[in-house]
Structure formats: structure tokens, C-alpha cells
């Protein structure tokens, strides 16, 4: 998974983005949370939604490996999963998606076991932001400037939530701008039209993240794995 983001055309995109952040404080608690997920092999689970879950080949047979690793995490960390087996975890996730839940597989399994899950997503966004600012790595800065980590962790509830239409349009526009600079065909979509597409997909019970839905709409769903690899690789650099 330790790959750098080469497909984005670094120099071109730097010309399209103005990046200026204040250096944040170290995030010891957040890094510890993410490091623990990585120790159990489930850090990537925060970025796996319905489509990747159902298309096992995209993530190397995730349905075969993730339930066992998730169960190990739950049992070792003292959750309410006692008495469950890996097949139960797999069935929980399948049931969640069949019921129309829009979320990642870590959150679905944790929520159904009544375990708190929001702190892990918050940690991932904060840690990646700190990494981008502190390292001045072009790839990480561009992903952060385009709000890719935020969109990769955002599903239906967060897409709507307390956000205004303008805020949703701005998020979609930031992603499209970076993709256009990378010479990815955006087919005339702007923030407004793409936000409407996402609204429609979530109204139809889409189970994927905002970033996945945007890339899939553009016919670039395979690029999502490349982006996730880069985000996860960057987070691991902070351990």
C-alpha cells in the first residue's frame, strides 16, 4: 500500500492551488488511535464503502480478510463482540449495505456493535492535515487542498448533516478543480452539477463515500484506490 501519488501531475496542480496552512500541534492521541488500527490491519477499512466491499478484487479480497481482522480488533480491545465470529461480522456489514446504510465497513461494524467510531475518522483527517503541512510534500498538500481525505471519509449523513448547499458545492468544486489540473476529464461538471449528482445518488441509497461517487461518475472509480493508498501511506508516515 506504500505508494506515492504519481498520477496527479504534481507541477500542473500546484499552479492551480494556493496552499497556506498554519502548522498544527502534534496529535499524539489521534496518531495512537490510527496506529492501533494499523496494527490490526484495518486502517484501510475506514475508506472502504459498498462498491469496494462488493468488488473484492479491487482491494485484494477484502471480504475474506477484513472480517477476521475486525473481529480480532473488537475482541482484543474489549468490545461487545464476544460470542461473534468473523462470519457474523461479514453478515453485519452485508446487512448494513442491504438496509441502505451509507458508510464504511469499519463504522458499520462498530456502530452495529454499539462501539464509538467517529473518533477514528476525525483522527484520520487531523493527522493527514498535520502531515501535509509539516512535510510540505506536494502530493499530500494537493490532496489536502482538494479536500480528498475529507471526501473519502464522508458518506450520506455527513454530506447532508448541517452543511448548506453552498458548502456541498464548494467541496465538490475543490475536488473537480484538482482533477482538472491533473488532466482528468470532468465532462463539463462543476461543483453545482456534481453536488446534485451526489444528492441524487444518496437519495437512491448509495453506500459509497463522496469521493468515490465523484470519481465513479467521471468513470475513474479505479483511481479511488490510488488516492486511498496515498492517504493511508501518508498517515503511516506519522507513526
Amino acid at each position: 500500500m506504500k505508494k506515492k501519488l504519481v498520477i496527479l501531475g504534481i507541477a500542473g496542480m500546484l499552479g492551480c492551488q494556493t496552499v497556506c496552512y498554519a502548522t498544527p500541534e502534534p496529535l499524539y492521541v489521534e496518531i495512537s488511535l490510527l496506529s492501533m488500527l494499523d496494527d490490526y490491519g484495518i486502517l484501510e477499512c475506514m475508506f472502504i464503502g459498498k462498491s469496494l466491499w462488493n468488488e473484492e478484487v479491487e482491494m485484494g479480497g477484502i471480504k475474506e480478510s477484513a472480517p477476521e481482522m475486525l473481529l480480532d480488533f473488537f475482541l482484543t480491545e474489549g468490545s461487545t463482540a464476544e460470542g461473534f465470529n468473523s462470519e457474523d461480522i461479514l453478515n453485519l456489514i452485508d446487512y448494513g449495505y442491504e438496509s441502505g446504510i451509507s458508510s464504511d465497513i469499519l463504522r458499520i461494524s462498530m456502530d452495529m456493535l454499539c462501539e464509538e467510531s467517529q473518533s477514528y475518522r476525525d483522527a484520520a483527517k487531523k493527522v493527514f492535515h498535520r502531515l501535509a503541512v509539516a512535510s510540505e510534500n506536494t502530493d499530500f498538500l494537493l490532496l489536502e487542498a482538494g479536500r480528498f481525505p475529507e471526501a473519502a471519509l464522508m458518506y450520506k449523513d455527513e454530506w447532508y448533516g448541517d452543511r448548506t448547499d453552498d458548502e456541498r458545492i464548494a467541496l465538490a468544486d475543490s475536488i473537480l478543480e484538482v482533477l482538472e489540473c491533473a488532466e482528468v476529464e470532468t465532462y463539463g461538471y462543476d461543483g453545482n452539477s456534481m453536488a446534485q449528482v451526489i444528492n441524487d445518488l444518496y437519495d437512491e441509497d448509495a453506500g459509497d463515500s463522496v469521493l468515490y461517487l465523484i470519481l465513479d461518475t467521471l468513470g475513474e472509480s479505479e483511481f479511488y484506490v490510488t488516492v486511498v493508498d496515498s492517504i493511508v501511506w501518508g498517515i503511516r508516515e506519522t507513526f
Side-chain angles (χ1 to χ4, degrees):
M1 289 285 186
K2 293 188 177 182
K3 303 175 183 176
K4 287 213 174 184
L5 190 66
V6 295
I7 194 172
L8 284 182
I10 296 170
M13 285 189 297
L14 275 178
C16 297
Q17 295 285 337
T18 300
V19 181
C20 182
Y21 295 124
T23 303
E25 294 297 318
L27 302 170
Y28 300 115
V29 173
E30 288 83 355
I31 289 172
S32 176
L33 283 174
L34 299 178
S35 179
M36 178 175 63
L37 292 183
D38 197 45
D39 287 343
Y40 286 98
I42 58 173
L43 182 58
E44 288 91 342
C45 290
M46 286 193 295
F47 301 94
I48 297 173
K50 183 177 181 178
S51 291
L52 290 182
W53 175 250
N54 288 329
E55 297 173 10
E56 304 174 44
V57 67
E58 294 289 342
M59 297 292 284
I62 195 67
K63 272 194 174 183
E64 296 179 5
S65 58
E68 187 65 43
M69 291 187 291
L70 287 165
L71 181 64
D72 186 37
F73 167 67
F74 296 142
L75 293 178
T76 304
E77 296 303 317
S79 83
T80 56
E82 187 173 352
F84 282 69
N85 56 41
S86 59
E87 187 72 16
D88 294 326
I89 302 299
L90 186 150
N91 290 335
L92 280 176
I93 298 170
D94 279 341
Y95 175 76
Y97 287 134
E98 290 166 5
S99 301
I101 291 177
S102 176
S103 189
D104 60 86
I105 64 173
L106 178 65
R107 184 178 355 182
I108 287 177
S109 54
M110 292 189 76
D111 288 353
M112 288 189 167
L113 292 171
C114 300
E115 297 291 329
E116 189 277 325
S117 62
Q118 183 63 44
S119 59
Y120 298 98
R121 292 184 298 283
D122 291 342
K125 288 183 286 188
K126 290 178 182 178
V127 168
F128 192 89
H129 173 77
R130 194 202 79 161
L131 167 78
V133 174
S135 71
E136 298 184 354
N137 178 294
T138 304
D139 295 345
F140 299 151
L141 283 168
L142 288 170
L143 287 172
E144 179 65 18
R147 301 171 68 181
F148 280 67
E150 177 186 356
L153 292 162
M154 183 184 295
Y155 289 76
K156 182 176 181 177
D157 288 346
E158 294 85 6
W159 172 252
Y160 289 121
D162 297 328
R163 283 181 172 77
T164 65
D165 288 341
D166 286 345
E167 288 170 334
R168 288 188 284 271
I169 290 168
L171 174 59
D173 193 57
S174 70
I175 294 168
L176 290 170
E177 182 180 355
V178 172
L179 293 174
E180 286 173 352
C181 291
E183 299 184 351
V184 174
E185 179 59 61
T186 56
Y187 302 102
Y189 282 105
D190 59 14
N192 183 58
S193 58
M194 183 59 77
Q196 187 57 59
V197 168
I198 298 170
N199 287 346
D200 293 341
L201 290 170
Y202 280 140
D203 289 346
E204 297 168 3
D205 289 332
D208 294 301
S209 69
V210 169
L211 181 60
Y212 186 95
L213 294 179
I214 290 175
L215 292 172
D216 189 50
T217 298
L218 300 176
E220 297 285 348
S221 58
E222 71 281 358
F223 185 38
Y224 182 77
V225 178
T226 301
V227 172
V228 167
D229 282 353
S230 297
I231 294 171
V232 171
W233 178 78
I235 289 172
R236 286 187 176 125
E237 287 292 290
T238 67
F239 299 162

